[in-house]
Amino acid sequence: MSNSFGNLFTLTTFGESHGPAIGGVIDGCPAGITLDLEAIQHELDRRKPGQSKITTQRKEPDQVEFLSGIFEGKTTGTSIGFQIKNTNQKSKDYSHNVDVYRPSHADYTYDQKYGIRDHRGGGRSSARETANWIVGGAVAKAILRDIKITAFTSSVGDIFIDKPYQALNFSEIEKNMVRCADPNIAEQMIKHISEVKKNGDTVGGTITCVIQNVPAGLGEPIFNKLHAELGKAMLSINAVKGFEYGSGFCGAKMKGSDHNDLFNPDGSTKTNLSGGIQGGISNGMDIYFRVAFKPVATLIQKQNTIDASGNVVEMQGRGRHDPCVVPRAVPIVEALSAMVMADAYLLSRARS
Amino acid sequence: MSNSFGNLFTLTTFGESHGPAIGGVIDGCPAGITLDLEAIQHELDRRKPGQSKITTQRKEPDQVEFLSGIFEGKTTGTSIGFQIKNTNQKSKDYSHNVDVYRPSHADYTYDQKYGIRDHRGGGRSSARETANWIVGGAVAKAILRDIKITAFTSSVGDIFIDKPYQALNFSEIEKNMVRCADPNIAEQMIKHISEVKKNGDTVGGTITCVIQNVPAGLGEPIFNKLHAELGKAMLSINAVKGFEYGSGFCGAKMKGSDHNDLFNPDGSTKTNLSGGIQGGISNGMDIYFRVAFKPVATLIQKQNTIDASGNVVEMQGRGRHDPCVVPRAVPIVEALSAMVMADAYLLSRARS
Amino acid sequence: MSNSFGNLFTLTTFGESHGPAIGGVIDGCPAGITLDLEAIQHELDRRKPGQSKITTQRKEPDQVEFLSGIFEGKTTGTSIGFQIKNTNQKSKDYSHNVDVYRPSHADYTYDQKYGIRDHRGGGRSSARETANWIVGGAVAKAILRDIKITAFTSSVGDIFIDKPYQALNFSEIEKNMVRCADPNIAEQMIKHISEVKKNGDTVGGTITCVIQNVPAGLGEPIFNKLHAELGKAMLSINAVKGFEYGSGFCGAKMKGSDHNDLFNPDGSTKTNLSGGIQGGISNGMDIYFRVAFKPVATLIQKQNTIDASGNVVEMQGRGRHDPCVVPRAVPIVEALSAMVMADAYLLSRARS
Amino acid sequence: MSNSFGNLFTLTTFGESHGPAIGGVIDGCPAGITLDLEAIQHELDRRKPGQSKITTQRKEPDQVEFLSGIFEGKTTGTSIGFQIKNTNQKSKDYSHNVDVYRPSHADYTYDQKYGIRDHRGGGRSSARETANWIVGGAVAKAILRDIKITAFTSSVGDIFIDKPYQALNFSEIEKNMVRCADPNIAEQMIKHISEVKKNGDTVGGTITCVIQNVPAGLGEPIFNKLHAELGKAMLSINAVKGFEYGSGFCGAKMKGSDHNDLFNPDGSTKTNLSGGIQGGISNGMDIYFRVAFKPVATLIQKQNTIDASGNVVEMQGRGRHDPCVVPRAVPIVEALSAMVMADAYLLSRARS
């Protein structure tokens, strides 16, 4: 089931950017969880287009409607259906795309796989799908209570935060439009994105995510290791090209005598190059990881490409695309992390 | 099922390093596939301990016995049971570990999760488990036929191959004991590992894997994207801290105008920063990715650590551990890749 | 995932009878399948309430709206979202049920399991859910093409068809309101249900289903045997108490010398007590089975029962319930059978 | 995965009757469960061939060897591998079967599905597989503790127990070789089977199973209803043709006013036609169901059949087959029931 995520806490989704609605079904949520519908909508607002000058100027309210599974403000233990209506489906905008394969998009591969394709706005491969994930993640967060998940933009192009996350003030993140945890770096990032946008170009970046207050013992030891589930989740996000946790790729350059995390008598560790996970199972320290996003493929510049018959054609994106996907991807990283953690938490209860 | 891997082509495993045997069940292999048992054993020999001076000197033959599912040299379509007997279970060697949590091992997290632990040699968290994966991968390769999977050591500590994989001669890989595709770099790596070993230390490294002759259209579009499945597989390997495919973390620094892969009229692309996958689905170009391994945690040096009661104790690894896990992990990366690709291939047949 | 059905062809559902809508997500449908939306609506009309004098007089149009996965009349291979709006949610009708456990309903068990319950009309346990299954089954039928699935009422109370299905004319089924394949027996059944209804009582019955033109080789040999999947599907329908296929419970009284199906030279069998399946796999003969439905639990008579505090209270159902569930269950049996067969068919393509 | 059973508590199996061994992997068993290895072997002995004059005279010790997942007598939470060696593989006995399709066996359907078949003794379709299930069930029973599962032979041919199960003394079951809960009926059954055997014929029968001390709230409400999982499990057993629970097929003849189970003030019910389950969820009353077994297809009589080329050939079974499968199937029914209940129990912990 390629449209389902999770094992015990699951999200199954549907929808194209240009149909009447997107939506999904959340299954496996325990009964009796209080859902704060405003908080859920707030998460959607963090992802929605048009929220600042450095995101796409497309306007879409992204209003979620719950259709089942909630009674008098609490989950009933039955499946939670929801939908988000599409209100901004200017199909005509995409008529120029009918037969054209946009470079570094999924147009060509969908045609190769399915032999048929809804060419309007990327169809199912549109990042609009991630609005569904926000809803799933917001419900997952209500299960997790004490576990705190915080993501932020850690680099845009060559500009990066040069401090460990422990030195950052997470309350700064939502104060700037690029969602960087360092206000000075944030300004540089915003300036850089603005310039890139002016040139009709796009730029990549990275997001760092920190998961705190995780009890020891979550995760599975062999094939569904906690970091492997997190990695798979992150690699599900459009434009993601890499994932590392703890010491990550830097760890590959290190010696064991520098890398080992020595224990304190209470079981915590003096350092945390492990990233809060040993053998696939949480050890009670902070879990942290970093996700790499490539630059958005849609440029407001002319590019040569081909159509379905192999003819070379010239194309140019219209003006409603993100110059950098990273700021709007921050809540998506959090949402998928929350779903992974809720799944691991529920599974740990079955086994305990 | 945390001991199962895959969707249609599945491997379910069992075994601790110090029980009578490890093994597993391969399910979903189509009928009529010819299995070359010598080739399968050859793959196991590439992983086995004691194969060179830069690996652990522990000797273990790792002889696989098939118990079902094969008739007159061909798969019958029924489940394939197999076992690998443990012949080198010096349990006494591990008596000093009963209550001691080795730093950056899974001892502590297993105790936190399960409240009980087979302390002999890491129990289920031992890398010995990966011998099972080699068997699964070797059967998967027999299904894949034309699809060619090649992994090699691309860095050890600070020493790395400074060429793109296209400039390398893959036939060099098995000619040196570090499994590096460049013979000169290989010598430097071997020298470095030997020095590290002499100091009782360990070192990390990276493996690059290239998958060639992949038809376009394999993989799923939303949650089981082909690269997400590959990433999850790699993150299942002990000591792996990161995964990137195509442009990876470098891509996060790039502009869209540099990153887009422009099409040739035949649907191939002029560049391949995408890494052979668009929207989760193969596009017919080479798939390639890189995996980061941390340094082995067991040192032949004294370290302070704690026991289950929180007492500080001094410990030191015995002499039969790998100074660098990367050379023996090369066939493991290939095996897991083969299982992911076989799964995607079978699924594509169901959908076609 | 207790709200999902199937392995490769899956249906995930949501919805209570008194929320804004019910609906679901169909995943795994191959691309390029032409969907006849009128035919799908026709299946829903066969199930909908109020269609004849022997069903509930509640009126509900049960209009399906597809939200994704279909482009220009064909499936695109992506997930198919749909909803059916609830138009007849007289919540006030159910206010008398708030704390009352109706006998032989799921009220008590939901409260025991979840500790919270949407008491309006049965909530999630309402048979309204089966409208979702009709949609899934109708899409499955479009995949199956030549495989023909026919269900009919074979008994009501003590009245039963006393002929083998081969002696019946299936074109009679939809000509009478009880969906019996024998017009004379149908009249007796209708008369009986009418009398039962007049007394405020209800009555059980059985449905027989015949699946024709099944190629040999569908189904799995050990745990997902074709008849086990069919049986599980049937046992998912509200009010079902039993399932038998081929010779069924009668077969348990027979001798092997009478029961064995001897082969014709072409591989067909002279008799078909096996019911078209051997070892879990179809053999090319007709698959047939019988499903037992208990009488509807809601009576238009006074009954004593208890409330959540254990007080004895008197209750009486209101006038909009089915006196016999069987006629409206005929299309449900067909729909679930179609989903099982589509799943087996797709799986056989992966393995072939 | 057609060789896997269960969701959280899973059994994955392998093995043909004529390979070196059968076996499997149990996954999802919680840590710290004490396993009584003698009790497990005792369950295998109840199923093994050659235990009485009314079973096959084939001798096979069916000794289980555990290979992992158990440490000092307790489960460790990791996967439990086990094998049962085949000691009685007279392959030559089956040489006459190479190309012959035995009537009402799976020979023909395996050939149609896989195009290749291990013809020795039924290969994977042999009932020998059920020895693996006994092991899985015995481990499941260790999880269930208070839940008591009792199966017994309730009919053989036309001879049946004419009392409700509440009137029977379960301690009689293991005192007679047919495993009937009524000693007088047992004698008649044994006599009947002996006669049938003398004629080289076989006979069917039914098994009733009662599950006691089940807490309310186990099971899932929509697609994995507790009785649907039990039904699917029973329909997985070779030779099973039907399943009914509670009032079963008799319930289909009843009126609602007779069928409803009225509540006592404590939530128990005055009658139990529901069979302990409402809406797929246990209600705390006894769960009971009945399973129909067809007569064994292998006769010690001459029968005409065909070979793979469609030639008519005469065949006759050899002397080591069961005249009635039911007595040896009693522990199999219990084992599968235990696995279903353990799965439901673990799942309920995740959700609670």
Side-chain angles (χ1 to χ4, degrees), chain A residues 113 201 219 225 236 243 257, chain B residues 113 201 219 225 236 243 257:
Chain A
K113 182 175 182 69
D201 211 341
K225 288 182 163 84
S236 301
F243 170 87
S257 52
Chain B
K113 182 177 182 68
D201 211 341
K225 287 182 163 83
S236 302
F243 170 86
S257 53

Side-chain angles (χ1 to χ4, degrees), chain B residues 29-46:
Chain B
C29 184
I33 304 286
T34 301
L35 290 187
D36 178 343
L37 300 188
E38 277 183 41
I40 294 173
Q41 188 58 48
H42 173 69
E43 294 292 328
L44 279 164
D45 292 345
R46 291 175 71 208

Side-chain angles (χ1 to χ4, degrees), chain C residues 12 103 153 252 346:
Chain C
T12 301
T153 300
L346 294 178

Side-chain angles (χ1 to χ4, degrees), chain A residues 56 58 90-97 102 200 298-301 315-322:
Chain A
T56 169
R58 199 171 64 249
K90 298 194 186 168
S91 280
K92 270 180 278 178
D93 281 359
Y94 292 89
S95 59
H96 56 294
N97 276 345
R102 292 168 296 168
T298 302
L299 310 182
I300 318 302
Q301 298 176 346
M315 71 168 297
Q316 178 172 350
R318 304 290 167 97
R320 305 194 308 166
H321 292 277
D322 284 282

Side-chain angles (χ1 to χ4, degrees), chain C residues 109-269:
Chain C
T109 55
Y110 269 60
D111 255 13
Q112 291 293 312
K113 183 176 182 66
Y114 297 118
I116 182 175
R117 181 167 57 89
D118 182 348
H119 57 263
R120 298 167 302 169
R124 183 76 178 129
S125 71
S126 163
R128 180 148 182 71
E129 159 72 7
T130 57
N132 288 328
W133 307 357
I134 296 286
V135 177
V139 173
K141 281 184 184 176
I143 298 172
L144 291 174
R145 293 168 175 277
D146 294 337
I147 295 177
K148 197 176 158 228
I149 300 171
T150 311
F152 56 89
T153 300
S154 44
S155 77
V156 169
D158 287 319
I159 303 163
F160 62 96
I161 301 178
D162 56 351
K163 296 172 194 158
Y165 77 84
Q166 294 88 343
L168 299 172
N169 182 353
F170 288 172
S171 69
E172 294 290 336
I173 297 168
E174 291 295 316
K175 291 184 185 160
N176 61 75
M177 66 183 80
V178 77
R179 294 200 168 90
C180 175
D182 180 307
N184 295 325
I185 308 289
E187 273 186 47
Q188 298 174 43
M189 289 173 172
I190 293 165
K191 198 177 151 204
H192 184 56
I193 295 173
S194 302
E195 276 163 23
V196 162
K197 185 184 170 190
K198 211 181 306 171
N199 298 331
D201 211 341
T202 62
V203 65
T206 61
I207 290 174
T208 295
C209 183
V210 185
I211 311 178
Q212 294 169 305
N213 299 333
V214 181
L218 299 192
E220 295 296 312
I222 306 297
F223 285 124
N224 298 319
K225 289 182 164 82
L226 188 53
H227 58 270
E229 296 282 14
L230 287 166
K232 183 179 175 184
M234 296 307 129
L235 290 159
S236 301
I237 306 174
N238 302 32
V240 169
K241 303 301 286 184
F243 170 87
E244 61 179 3
Y245 82 107
S247 62
F249 277 88
C250 284
K253 298 183 184 167
M254 292 174 72
K255 298 226 170 66
S257 52
D258 295 324
H259 193 279
N260 278 0
D261 293 318
L262 299 183
F263 280 106
N264 295 312
D266 65 356
S268 67
T269 56

Side-chain angles (χ1 to χ4, degrees), chain D residues 9-283:
Chain D
F9 180 90
T10 62
L11 173 70
T12 301
T13 64
F14 68 85
E16 291 96 32
S17 55
H18 289 71
I22 65 170
V25 183
I26 297 164
D27 201 358
C29 184
I33 305 286
T34 301
L35 291 187
D36 178 343
L37 300 188
E38 277 183 43
I40 294 173
Q41 187 59 47
H42 174 68
E43 294 292 327
L44 279 164
D45 293 345
R46 291 175 71 207
R47 192 216 73 99
K48 78 174 177 187
Q51 60 184 279
S52 82
K53 68 175 186 185
I54 59 168
T55 65
T56 169
Q57 293 308 297
R58 199 171 65 248
K59 297 283 183 189
E60 190 112 45
D62 284 356
Q63 189 78 36
V64 64
E65 296 167 61
F66 287 99
L67 302 171
S68 70
I70 304 171
F71 187 59
E72 298 176 347
K74 289 190 174 174
T75 59
T76 61
T78 61
S79 54
I80 300 170
F82 67 88
Q83 66 176 350
I84 301 169
K85 287 196 182 120
N86 291 328
T87 59
N88 195 347
Q89 324 141 237
K90 300 194 185 168
S91 281
K92 270 180 278 180
D93 281 0
Y94 293 88
S95 59
H96 55 293
N97 277 345
V98 174
D99 270 341
V100 174
Y101 295 142
R102 292 167 297 167
S104 290
H105 274 88
D107 304 337
Y108 175 78
T109 55
Y110 269 61
D111 255 12
Q112 291 292 313
K113 182 176 182 67
Y114 297 119
I116 181 175
R117 182 167 55 90
D118 182 347
H119 57 263
R120 299 166 301 168
R124 183 76 178 130
S125 72
S126 164
R128 180 149 181 70
E129 159 72 6
T130 56
N132 288 328
W133 306 357
I134 296 286
V135 178
V139 173
K141 282 183 183 175
I143 298 172
L144 291 174
R145 296 169 173 276
D146 294 338
I147 296 177
K148 196 176 158 227
I149 299 170
T150 310
F152 56 90
T153 300
S154 44
S155 76
V156 169
D158 287 319
I159 305 163
F160 62 97
I161 301 178
D162 56 350
K163 296 171 194 159
Y165 76 84
Q166 294 89 340
L168 300 171
N169 181 352
F170 289 173
S171 70
E172 294 289 336
I173 297 168
E174 290 297 316
K175 291 183 184 161
N176 63 75
M177 66 183 80
V178 77
R179 295 201 168 87
C180 174
D182 180 308
N184 295 324
I185 307 289
E187 272 186 48
Q188 297 174 43
M189 288 173 171
I190 293 166
K191 199 176 150 203
H192 184 55
I193 295 172
S194 302
E195 275 163 23
V196 162
K197 185 184 170 192
K198 212 181 305 171
N199 297 332
D201 211 342
T202 62
V203 66
T206 61
I207 290 175
T208 295
C209 184
V210 185
I211 311 179
Q212 294 169 304
N213 300 333
V214 182
L218 299 192
E220 295 295 312
I222 307 297
F223 285 125
N224 299 320
K225 288 182 163 83
L226 188 53
H227 58 269
E229 296 283 12
L230 287 167
K232 183 180 176 185
M234 296 307 129
L235 290 159
S236 301
I237 306 174
N238 303 32
V240 169
K241 303 300 286 184
F243 170 87
E244 60 179 3
Y245 83 106
S247 62
F249 277 89
C250 285
K253 297 183 184 166
M254 292 175 72
K255 297 225 171 67
S257 52
D258 295 324
H259 193 279
N260 278 1
D261 293 318
L262 299 184
F263 281 105
N264 295 312
D266 65 355
S268 67
T269 56
K270 296 174 198 296
T271 51
N272 184 16
L273 290 161
S274 299
I277 300 171
Q278 289 292 9
I281 302 166
S282 65
N283 67 0

